[in-house]
Amino acid sequence: MTPAEIRQEIIDILDDISPDEDLDNLDDQKAFREQLELDSMDFLDIVMELRKRHRVQIPEEDYGHLASMHSTVTYLEPKMKDL
Amino acid sequence: MYDTIIIGAGMSGLAAGIRLAHFDQRVCILEKHYTIGGLNSFYRMGGRDYDVGLHAMTNFARKGDKKGPLAKLIRQLRFGWEDFKLAEQNGSSIRFPGVELDFNNDIAMLESEIKSRFPDQIDGFRSLCGSLLDYSDMDGDSPDFMRSAREVMAEHLSDPLLIEMLLCPLMWYGNARENDMDFGQFCIMFRACYLEGFGRPYKGVRVILKNLVRKFRGLGGELKLRSGVANIHVEEGKAVGVVLDDGTELQAKRILSSAGTVETMRMCDDITEPDVAKAGKLSFIESISVLDCKPKELGFDRTIVFYNDSPNFHWERPDDSLCDARTGVICSPNNYIYDAEEGELPDGVVRITTLANHDLWSDLPEEKYRAAKVTQYDEAVASAVRFMPDFRSRVVDTDVFTPKTIRRFTWHDNGAVYGAPDKQLDGTTHLPNVFLCGTDQGFVGIVGAIVSGISMANRHCLQV
Ligand SMILES: Cc1cc2nc3c(=O)[nH]c(=O)nc-3n(C[C@H](O)[C@H](O)[C@H](O)COP(=O)(O)OP(=O)(O)OC[C@H]3O[C@@H](n4cnc5c(N)ncnc54)[C@H](O)[C@@H]3O)c2cc1C
């Protein structure tokens, strides 16, 4: 997957977790938490959905990388480039 | 071999099942009864639909709200708001002799009521609101969680009557402990009832249960009714599976039980004597009256009335009598603001809940039991009409259920509605792969039980 495809995949997951959220104006550099009402349960869901959909394993100590869209895509790129 | 076996198809078990099935686990829910719902099921009798429990769903939220337990569970279970479609309450009241406090889903209403009835307490009330624990502090780690709610309230409020009045709805809707409440549980219920408020789906609890089951099955989950778990089979300090009442053996990597703490311990074949003293003992009778008119035609527009006939609120099991009708809850499911397209409920209904003693009800021989249902219905209604218009001449049908009924349909010791006073907030047991969810884990009520199922599934069954 290219970074753009990974980004789209994250958007799909966010849309699935929280369908009422307006994701069109998401600022990739800003933390998800500042823009969306996501709590720790929702973050766990992003991790779980990635595992379910793409068999991507994210160890707990890496959850910090999922802070913003930009950091998430950067973190996932090596893990998902061959998918 | 299942990844997870869930014991009980009540709110918490179904919710947990959805989470696990969504994330591709092989999961099976085993339910002893022939239908789903547990403490909050539904039935049909004499051509009418009845709910077992539903007065109100606490934790009301509007479409688009992102905070709070209801929004969280809708997200976690991948539902939409329309699936739960809650109508808001008209408004509810706390009625004690000579004084009444109204409240609705906007805390400003309760505040202004306190300001006018208890003017010198309003600052205290606001500081009490400011001291509430947040939902994120509800895992039991907060040192204040286990404090006495009465003690904390007394630090803010000096009028004992106001303390009793504020406690009355919160204990009625979610307190397993007699006479006092853990401050943490107080905060959960304060948020659920006063800050978030009450709602109800037009069609009652069946909508919620049907949505839960449809989703669970749609994700490939298995639900087996009439499949009571007789035994949790333990080998070398670990559960390896369950044995059903009919002898069928099923294996699983882990077990999540909503049957209750003591009830689950009793199933484990490595435990010979569970500590039954730990089971809860607060149970209810529910007296349902169907009227030939709508309650509002009798001048009754309240959604819920929590009444108590003296300045002291006694939240305890009646030890020497079948029931204690000094305090009770009156609910009219008609008194919600339903959508125009839904219209009004077909029948006028008044439901009254009063405290009851499980053992005394269960000891009655069949004939006496049936007679007692009639006399105790009369007593509950006679007590309630001191706090609402007398509707007795308008009753066309009645139904009563007792702690014995509750026990028969849920298998909870003592027919305890809110389970054991001491909760197992982290959901663990003496076995490394058996966990608790629902009533005895900590969260009660419909929304509470669903949230419990979700969080225990996340914590113990998914993050592995
Ligand atoms: C009269 C009444 C009124 C209520 N009113 C309201 C209300 O207005 N609003 C509100 O929010 N809440 C209300 N509640 C509370 C609410 O219904 C409960 O808190 C909630 O439903 C609890 O769900 P649960 O999943 O924790 O437990 P349960 O519903 O008890 O689920 C446990 C399930 O496990 C099954 N089970 C037990 N043992 C076994 C076994 N050995 N094998 C297989 N299955 C087993 C039981 O049959 C049951 O289905 C009311 C409850 C009652 C009784």
Side-chain angles (χ1 to χ4, degrees):
Chain A
M1 279 187 165
T2 65
E5 285 166 338
I6 297 173
R7 184 184 188 281
Q8 189 52 46
E9 185 56 32
I10 302 293
I11 292 282
D12 282 353
I13 290 174
L14 288 172
D15 194 44
D16 199 30
I17 295 174
S18 188
D20 299 320
E21 202 82 62
D22 173 19
L23 298 168
D24 293 343
N25 299 319
L26 193 77
D27 181 340
D28 285 15
Q29 303 296 329
K30 266 185 42 200
F32 288 126
R33 269 182 207 277
E34 288 170 32
Q35 309 176 70
L36 313 169
E37 298 274 353
L38 297 182
D39 62 14
S40 53
M41 268 189 172
D42 299 318
F43 276 98
L44 174 66
D45 260 19
I46 300 177
V47 173
M48 296 291 308
E49 288 288 349
L50 284 165
R51 179 157 108 189
K52 168 176 162 142
R53 296 175 188 202
H54 304 290
R55 311 264 153 235
V56 179
Q57 298 282 358
I58 304 176
E60 204 171 331
E61 57 270 22
D62 287 356
Y63 288 3
H65 292 290
L66 307 181
S68 70
M69 181 62 93
H70 179 74
S71 66
T72 304
V73 174
T74 311
Y75 170 74
L76 290 174
E77 210 187 319
K79 290 183 179 280
M80 295 176 73
K81 67 176 191 305
D82 298 329
L83 296 179
Chain B
M1 164 81 97
Y2 292 102
D3 293 308
T4 306
I5 279 179
I6 297 173
I7 302 176
M11 298 286 171
S12 64
L14 290 167
I18 291 175
R19 287 291 294 172
L20 300 181
H22 177 78
F23 289 113
D24 302 328
Q25 283 203 8
R26 255 204 95 193
V27 47
C28 181
I29 303 181
L30 301 170
E31 170 57 54
K32 188 164 174 139
H33 199 36
Y34 58 77
T35 183
I36 56 169
L39 283 166
N40 227 317
S41 193
F42 53 88
Y43 55 100
R44 209 173 153 78
M45 209 177 70
R48 291 194 175 85
D49 287 332
Y50 291 89
D51 281 347
V52 172
L54 183 65
H55 287 180
M57 273 178 69
T58 56
N59 307 88
F60 180 81
R62 285 179 195 81
K63 181 173 178 169
D65 281 355
K66 300 207 172 89
K67 288 221 160 78
L70 185 64
K72 176 175 287 189
L73 77 84
I74 287 176
R75 284 214 298 270
Q76 287 270 307
L77 299 181
R78 307 289 189 270
F79 279 120
W81 285 86
E82 300 309 319
D83 294 319
F84 283 74
K85 199 156 177 247
L86 296 180
E88 223 173 313
Q89 63 165 327
N90 284 352
S92 297
S93 303
I94 311 164
R95 295 182 174 167
F96 276 50
V99 50
E100 164 172 353
L101 291 172
D102 286 346
F103 66 98
N104 58 16
N105 294 352
D106 180 354
I107 185 69
M109 168 83 145
L110 181 58
E111 256 194 71
S112 86
E113 288 278 294
I114 291 175
K115 206 167 164 183
S116 68
R117 309 277 189 288
F118 297 91
D120 59 339
Q121 300 292 305
I122 184 66
D123 293 336
F125 178 71
R126 290 194 181 122
S127 73
L128 175 67
C129 292
S131 78
L132 294 175
L133 301 177
D134 219 36
Y135 282 123
S136 54
D137 303 323
M138 301 303 186
D139 53 8
D141 291 342
S142 161
D144 286 338
F145 195 97
M146 292 304 292
R147 283 189 68 191
S148 145
R150 287 185 179 280
E151 198 180 287
V152 179
M153 291 176 89
E155 290 169 5
H156 300 273
L157 303 169
S158 59
D159 192 326
L161 179 59
L162 180 59
I163 294 183
E164 300 291 300
M165 289 184 81
L166 288 172
L167 279 172
C168 175
L170 307 188
M171 291 208 185
W172 262 113
Y173 270 10
N175 184 27
R177 199 181 287 294
E178 291 184 293
N179 294 311
D180 203 347
M181 205 165 176
D182 300 338
F183 182 60
Q185 186 62 20
F186 172 86
C187 295
I188 293 173
M189 295 314 299
F190 194 103
R191 289 179 184 282
C193 297
Y194 296 146
L195 298 185
E196 292 158 13
F198 302 152
R200 182 184 185 278
Y202 176 74
K203 291 218 160 92
V205 80
R206 67 200 66 215
V207 180
I208 293 162
L209 287 168
K210 282 182 176 164
N211 280 329
L212 290 171
V213 165
R214 192 178 308 131
K215 181 128 233 166
F216 176 65
R217 288 220 165 102
L219 291 163
E222 282 177 59
L223 169 63
K224 295 187 201 282
L225 300 172
R226 293 191 179 87
S227 300
V229 174
N231 256 307
I232 294 176
H233 186 49
V234 180
E235 270 175 26
E236 291 168 11
K238 254 185 107 186
V240 292
V242 300
V243 184
L244 303 186
D245 290 335
D246 68 4
T248 311
E249 290 181 32
L250 299 169
Q251 293 183 328
K253 292 184 195 149
R254 65 189 80 80
I255 294 164
L256 183 60
S257 172
S258 67
T261 310
V262 173
E263 296 84 344
T264 303
M265 292 307 106
R266 199 177 281 132
M267 289 176 221
C268 293
D269 60 13
D270 63 330
I271 288 194
T272 36
E273 277 187 54
D275 190 353
V276 290
K278 288 194 173 145
K281 47 183 193 168
L282 287 167
S283 194
F284 306 155
I285 68 161
E286 183 93 352
S287 305
I288 304 172
S289 309
V290 180
L291 313 183
D292 67 0
C293 64
K294 299 288 147 64
K296 69 167 184 262
E297 293 165 44
L298 305 172
F300 186 68
D301 76 339
R302 299 287 79 194
T303 308
I304 317 281
V305 172
F306 300 88
Y307 71 83
N308 187 67
D309 69 4
S310 77
N312 290 319
F313 172 54
H314 301 278
W315 183 245
E316 59 205 10
R317 182 184 71 170
D319 277 331
D320 308 314
S321 55
L322 289 170
C323 295
D324 177 356
R326 289 178 296 175
T327 179
V329 184
I330 305 162
C331 162
S332 172
N334 304 92
N335 292 340
Y336 283 89
I337 307 166
Y338 297 113
D339 257 12
E341 65 198 59
E342 290 167 336
E344 297 222 10
L345 295 180
D347 295 302
V349 173
V350 175
R351 312 178 57 116
I352 298 166
T353 317
T354 42
L355 289 163
N357 181 315
H358 169 267
D359 293 351
L360 295 180
W361 277 102
S362 296
D363 289 346
L364 292 175
E366 186 55 31
E367 215 158 289
K368 286 221 168 98
Y369 175 76
R370 261 183 280 135
K373 277 171 92 165
V374 177
T375 53
Q376 294 303 315
Y377 165 90
D378 287 344
E379 277 193 29
V381 175
S383 177
V385 296
R386 298 175 297 166
F387 299 90
M388 68 176 294
D390 195 338
F391 60 85
R392 283 177 285 192
S393 60
R394 314 302 297 262
V395 175
V396 293
D397 202 356
T398 64
D399 191 31
V400 179
F401 59 83
T402 72
K404 189 176 165 182
T405 330
I406 297 176
R407 171 156 172 92
R408 195 169 62 226
F409 283 78
T410 69
W411 319 98
H412 288 302
D413 276 35
N414 307 323
V417 173
Y418 297 131
D422 290 309
K423 301 299 183 191
Q424 188 63 33
L425 293 164
D426 66 6
T428 56
T429 67
H430 70 294
L431 296 173
N433 61 341
V434 176
F435 306 98
L436 301 171
C437 70
T439 309
D440 277 355
Q441 181 264 320
F443 290 87
V444 299
I446 297 167
V447 173
I450 294 176
V451 169
S452 166
I454 293 171
S455 50
M456 291 303 108
N458 286 350
R459 183 155 166 185
H460 298 299
C461 311
L462 281 175
Q463 275 167 308
V464 286

